[in-house]
Amino acid sequence: MDTLTLPGTETMNLSAAELAALALSLAHLGAGPQAVTARRALARLVPDERQARSFATLLDPLDSETARRVRLLAQAITESRVVRVLYADERGKVSRREVEPVTTLVHGDHWYLVGWCRLRHGIRAFRLDRIMAVEPTEMQSRPHRADGFLPFQGRRAAA
């Protein structure tokens, strides 16, 4: 469980799923006035050094096109629907994937979609800045618990 400390208060423990929900909510807000207020409030949390980069990324508003894709992903997560994504890997190779989205999260300098990739038959983390398109489907995804999808703990996620 990740621990964040509020100034002048006791330690507040947030689970990975709770942090992911905060990240998704902030992404969904974009850069509007509510987002500014939410980011200012969240900035009052004092992360430890390991979390500082991720925290800075969380507080930085997404560009409008990425925020639009995140809203589609959030809807798919809420409705337990499969999405098709057009994804460019780190070498620039583009593939079309069907993904059962579980959550979004911030790790270091990047946002990620985490979910079950039907092509690779496993958990994958897709960098949002490498997702070129998101297409919702009517296909139902299987239930997945967000706490079981932590690709950055102990190993590097392959996407």
Side-chain angles (χ1 to χ4, degrees):
M1 186 173 288
D2 295 309
T3 302
L4 299 176
T5 304
L6 289 171
T9 67
E10 296 179 26
T11 299
M12 177 177 61
N13 292 321
L14 297 176
S15 70
E18 289 167 332
L19 288 170
L22 282 173
L24 184 57
S25 297
L26 280 175
H28 203 337
L29 286 173
Q34 291 173 330
V36 171
T37 302
R39 284 184 178 88
R40 187 173 51 242
L42 198 53
R44 291 179 152 158
L45 297 174
V46 180
D48 65 28
E49 289 222 6
R50 292 175 312 151
Q51 298 169 322
R53 266 192 18 230
S54 295
F55 215 67
T57 302
L58 178 63
L59 296 175
D60 190 22
L62 297 173
D63 64 82
S64 62
E65 188 55 33
T66 302
R68 185 189 66 75
R69 288 192 296 269
V70 168
R71 283 190 291 278
L72 290 172
L73 295 170
Q75 183 176 0
I77 291 167
T78 300
E79 296 174 357
S80 298
R81 300 274 182 202
V82 174
V83 292
R84 287 188 188 98
V85 297
L86 196 59
Y87 185 72
D89 68 14
E90 62 189 12
R91 294 175 305 282
K93 182 180 177 190
V94 177
S95 62
R96 181 174 299 278
R97 311 280 187 103
E98 285 186 352
V99 178
E100 298 179 23
V102 176
T103 192
T104 60
L105 58 84
V106 173
H107 179 72
D109 296 330
H110 302 287
W111 283 81
Y112 293 85
L113 163 66
V114 179
W116 181 267
C117 177
R118 290 182 166 187
L119 177 67
R120 301 290 186 229
H121 302 287
I123 300 166
R124 294 294 186 266
F126 301 91
R127 268 183 40 181
L128 290 186
D129 62 331
R130 293 183 182 159
I131 295 177
M132 302 164 63
V134 174
E135 176 188 346
T137 74
E138 293 301 316
M139 292 183 281
Q140 202 69 34
S141 68
R142 294 168 295 185
H144 301 285
R145 288 183 35 145
D147 284 341
F149 283 70
L150 301 174
F152 301 113
Q153 290 188 344
R155 66 176 177 83
R156 184 171 177 240

